[in-house]
Amino acid sequence: DTAVSQTPKYLVTQMGNDKSIKCEQNLGHDTMYWYKQDSKKFLKIMFSYNNKELIINETVPNRFSPKSPDKAHLNLHINSLELGDSAVYFCASSQDGAARDTQYFGPGTRLTVL
Amino acid sequence: AQSVTQLDSQVPVFEEAPVELRCNYSSSVSVYLFWYVQYPNQGLQLLLKYLSGSTLVKGINGFEAEFNKSQTSFHLRKPSVHISDTAEYFCAVEGNNNNDMRFGAGTRLTVKP
């Protein structure tokens, strides 16, 4: 059973398009996250959601918007894609978002903007 | 806020040799420390974590790490590596009063036959 799954695995698109990446976790966790990993492997948190409330929002452009229809899903919508958005995006989840929680990561979505 | 520095971007080592991947952190509050591993084309997987108590933490796949508060370090070690240990390793720190996890830039471990 896949604990944290993401779709699609690869996404290639043109500049200016709008795209979405889906994430689902079947662990019963209360908190979910989105991370961006750039070409140098640097991993940076973008958002986290706890019971449908946004609790972390780093300095991410407002073209990026997380949407959580329920606590098992946290989708990432990106409007007006730019070249610099090319990266690998990871979804993760943890039990309740406490500082000591282990985060479980999905396999990643490689986004390429042409 | 807290931050973490991984001192080596790449570590090449021969199979069955010991390895140490270095990690130093900075924080104004007490911290929790983590090591994650990322195999090629996969997501991150927790190797081990330090929350409190014994400063020597044992994780999966024969890895261990030692928390050293005076040196603000959390170095990862394995006495004998295998080819299958080739991966990217990330050190992460989280303050005990927040849920803001910060990752280091990663260390690429390459195990050669």
Side-chain angles (χ1 to χ4, degrees):
Chain A
D1 288 342
T2 302
V4 182
S5 59
Q6 297 177 227
T7 55
K9 187 172 182 179
Y10 299 97
L11 183 55
V12 181
T13 188
Q14 299 285 335
M15 280 176 53
N17 284 349
D18 303 336
K19 291 294 179 184
S20 296
I21 306 173
K22 295 184 177 181
C23 177
E24 177 180 2
Q25 55 94 4
N26 62 7
L27 298 168
H29 288 167
D30 286 335
T31 303
M32 296 182 70
Y33 310 81
W34 275 106
Y35 287 86
K36 178 180 180 181
Q37 186 177 47
D38 63 24
S39 59
K40 295 183 179 180
K41 297 286 187 178
F42 187 67
L43 197 66
K44 183 177 180 181
I45 191 166
M46 300 176 71
F47 303 103
S48 71
Y49 254 76
N50 184 307
N51 289 327
K52 297 189 179 183
E53 289 186 58
L54 181 67
I55 54 176
I56 296 177
N57 186 347
E58 292 287 311
T59 54
V60 174
N62 59 13
R63 298 182 295 103
F64 291 79
S65 57
K67 297 194 189 303
S68 180
D70 55 62
K71 79 171 192 176
H73 296 83
L74 182 65
N75 303 324
L76 182 65
H77 296 273
I78 316 170
N79 295 324
S80 302
L81 278 157
E82 300 178 357
L83 293 176
D85 298 333
S86 295
V88 181
Y89 292 83
F90 287 100
C91 177
S93 72
S94 67
Q95 182 63 51
D96 57 16
R100 58 195 295 142
D101 276 354
T102 296
Q103 294 188 19
Y104 294 82
F105 285 77
T109 295
R110 182 174 294 276
L111 171 65
T112 303
V113 182
L114 303 175
Chain B
Q2 52 278 354
S3 65
V4 63
T5 302
Q6 291 183 243
L7 299 165
D8 306 297
S9 60
Q10 296 186 57
V11 174
V13 66
F14 287 104
E15 193 173 19
E16 297 185 4
V19 71
E20 178 180 83
L21 306 184
R22 297 181 293 169
C23 172
N24 286 90
Y25 70 90
S26 173
S27 176
S28 57
V29 300
S30 295
V31 296
Y32 302 126
L33 293 155
F34 306 79
W35 274 100
Y36 282 85
V37 60
Q38 184 181 25
Y39 297 106
N41 299 314
Q42 295 186 28
L44 279 72
Q45 177 184 358
L46 182 71
L47 272 179
L48 48 81
K49 61 182 177 181
Y50 170 79
L51 302 180
S52 64
S54 173
T55 57
L56 184 62
V57 181
K58 293 188 182 298
I60 62 171
N61 300 340
F63 284 92
E64 63 180 33
E66 185 159 19
F67 171 57
N68 188 318
K69 188 174 182 180
S70 63
Q71 296 185 6
T72 60
S73 68
F74 191 56
H75 300 333
L76 181 71
R77 300 185 185 98
K78 186 170 182 178
S80 176
V81 294
H82 303 291
I83 298 287
S84 59
D85 291 323
T86 294
E88 194 86 23
Y89 291 80
F90 292 92
C91 183
V93 62
E94 198 164 18
N96 69 353
N97 64 350
N98 63 56
N99 58 356
D100 182 10
M101 183 176 285
R102 301 289 172 132
F103 286 82
T107 296
R108 174 75 180 169
L109 174 64
T110 302
V111 182
K112 305 175 183 179

